[in-house]
Amino acid sequence: MDQMPRAAVDPLVKGKVIPDVLDMFVPAAEIAVRYGGIRVECGSDIKPSLGTQRPRVHISGSTGSPGYYTLVVVDPDAPRPSEPIYKEWLHWLVIDIPEGSDASEGKEIMPYMGPQPPSGTHRYVFAAFRQHSPMETVRRRPVERERFDTRQFSSENDLGLPAAALYFKSQKQ
């Protein structure tokens, strides 16, 4: 792995997003998340009050060909980091996001739910998966918030490894 892709996944390894939620991957796209005027940096702290409104999420690939992405947003630390029995809690699921577009241009499968950590510091993981073609629907029905499994969802929908990911931390105010 060359220096650039490794630098992109290092914060995910340090924050244990890899291996808790995702397998090691080589980034093939960029994901930008903004709450209002604040850009989320990988591993940064975000107050729950800032995350109440759906963020702007922009996914841009490096393939040069038009394509679509699936966005999965989960909290692997629910309800408590010391006892994550609901691992993973699904906060948002959007499919068919056109490359180079905002997530709002895709099809929302699970409505956005902002960070609501009841105790401790929680991680909120944004993972973008490149689709082979438009999906229109997901193979796993029904999609539930509680005990969502990003790896299983990716496998069931033939998405493979993520193309991009980032996470932020949040704790009860």
Side-chain angles (χ1 to χ4, degrees), residues 9 36 41 44 47 57 63 65 92 94 103 110 122 128-129 155 164:
V9 297
E41 299 295 332
S44 63
K47 293 180 180 178
V57 177
T63 61
S65 62
W92 199 17
V94 184
M110 180 62 71
H122 289 238
F129 295 86
S155 175

Side-chain angles (χ1 to χ4, degrees), residues 60-141:
S60 56
S62 58
T63 61
S65 62
Y68 295 91
Y69 288 89
T70 292
L71 174 68
V72 175
V73 181
V74 295
D75 171 1
D77 302 314
R80 291 175 295 287
S82 61
E83 190 180 5
I85 59 173
Y86 299 135
K87 184 185 222 177
E88 303 158 18
W89 187 269
L90 181 63
H91 278 259
W92 199 17
L93 178 60
V94 184
I95 63 171
D96 294 342
I97 302 167
E99 185 163 351
S101 298
D102 187 85
S104 64
E105 308 241 348
K107 181 178 179 185
E108 191 173 65
I109 301 298
M110 180 62 71
Y112 176 75
M113 175 185 187
Q116 302 171 3
S119 67
T121 300
H122 289 238
R123 297 166 294 167
Y124 294 87
V125 180
F126 288 69
F129 295 86
R130 185 160 172 83
Q131 299 173 199
H132 298 291
S133 61
M135 289 171 49
E136 298 178 13
T137 188
V138 295
R139 293 186 185 139
R140 178 182 179 180
R141 290 284 184 175

Side-chain angles (χ1 to χ4, degrees), residues 19-37:
D20 289 356
V21 178
L22 304 171
D23 292 323
M24 183 61 79
F25 68 97
V26 175
E30 289 185 20
I31 184 169
V33 178
R34 287 188 174 276
Y35 283 101

Side-chain angles (χ1 to χ4, degrees), residues 89 148 150:
W89 187 269
F148 185 83
T150 301

